[in-house]
Structures are given as structure tokens and as C-alpha cells.
Amino acid sequence: MELFTLVKSRTPVSLYYLFKVSNRKDNLLITPSPTNQFLYKSAWLWNDFRKTGLLEFSSPYKSVKGSLKFSILKAQGMYGNEWCDYNFTEFPGRNGHSALIPLL
């Protein structure tokens, strides 16, 4: 949710300018070289969450927060009552398909 606020409002400026934004789409983040650092992981998660169809960049914050909550709850329930590694690596979209996120 914080990254949505950062990309949409472009504040705080000091943190916003750490990310490289695509020239053709202002809400697509260019991922740096794969690492376990915040910039790579947050840009990767942002771009994968965009692929689920749950994120409309023009949406108000409350709508995005609800979509994110829906995705998290759906991911938690995908594999029964047992918690597993896939709960950390998938964003279920509206159509039930998941965007896989590699664990680092």
C-alpha cells in the first residue's frame, strides 16, 4: 500500500527517485539487478501485483487497499489451513489465476 502511495503521489521525493520509472508507463517500475534488497523486491512485487488485474492506477486509495486485502486473504486460503511457501509467492487475481513471485 505504501508503494502505491509513493508511485501515485510521488512523495516522499527522496524515496520516489530511488526507483526507476518506465518512460512509456508512469506506473511501471524498472527492476534493478536481482538482489534481496528493498528496491528490487518492492519493484518486483509492484509489477507483479499490477498483472493481477486488481490494481487500477486511477483508483482511490481505499479501493486499492480493498483489492490488496482481497488478494492476501485469497492467497492465504488457497492451500487449506496449512501455511506454505506459496503463500509468500503468489498474488491471486480476479480471475483466480496467480502471478508467481520468486523467493529470494
Side-chain angles (χ1 to χ4, degrees), residues 3 9-10 15 17 22 28 31 36 39 45-46 51 56 59-63 79 88-91 94 96-97 100 104:
L3 196 53
S9 66
R10 299 179 181 185
L15 189 55
Y17 283 111
S22 171
L28 177 69
T31 55
N36 205 14
L39 287 178
L45 288 170
W46 171 262
K51 293 176 191 175
E56 295 293 331
S59 300
Y61 296 103
K62 188 174 182 178
S63 175
Y79 301 99
F88 295 104
T89 60
E90 295 183 11
F91 281 121
R94 285 191 180 123
H97 299 289
L100 294 176
L104 298 176

Side-chain angles (χ1 to χ4, degrees), residues 76-83:
Q76 289 174 343
M78 287 176 68
Y79 301 99
N81 293 331
E82 296 298 319
W83 193 257

Side-chain angles (χ1 to χ4, degrees), residues 1-90:
M1 189 65 206
E2 286 80 10
L3 196 53
F4 176 77
T5 305
L6 179 77
V7 172
K8 187 169 182 172
S9 66
R10 299 179 181 185
T11 56
V13 174
S14 58
L15 189 55
Y16 175 76
Y17 283 111
L18 292 176
F19 292 95
K20 182 172 175 142
V21 180
S22 171
N23 291 331
R24 61 185 175 89
K25 292 183 180 178
D26 64 348
N27 62 349
L28 177 69
L29 300 177
I30 307 298
T31 55
S33 300
T35 64
N36 205 14
Q37 295 180 351
F38 171 75
L39 287 178
Y40 173 76
K41 290 181 89 172
S42 58
W44 181 266
L45 288 170
W46 171 262
N47 291 335
D48 273 357
F49 188 62
R50 285 179 62 248
K51 293 176 191 175
T52 63
L54 294 172
L55 177 65
E56 295 293 331
F57 194 63
S58 59
S59 300
Y61 296 103
K62 188 174 182 178
S63 175
V64 173
K65 186 176 180 179
S67 295
L68 184 59
K69 180 180 176 182
F70 167 80
S71 181
I72 290 170
L73 291 174
K74 194 166 184 177
Q76 289 174 343
M78 287 176 68
Y79 301 99
N81 293 331
E82 296 298 319
W83 193 257
C84 65
D85 287 338
Y86 291 117
N87 293 117
F88 295 104
T89 60
E90 295 183 11

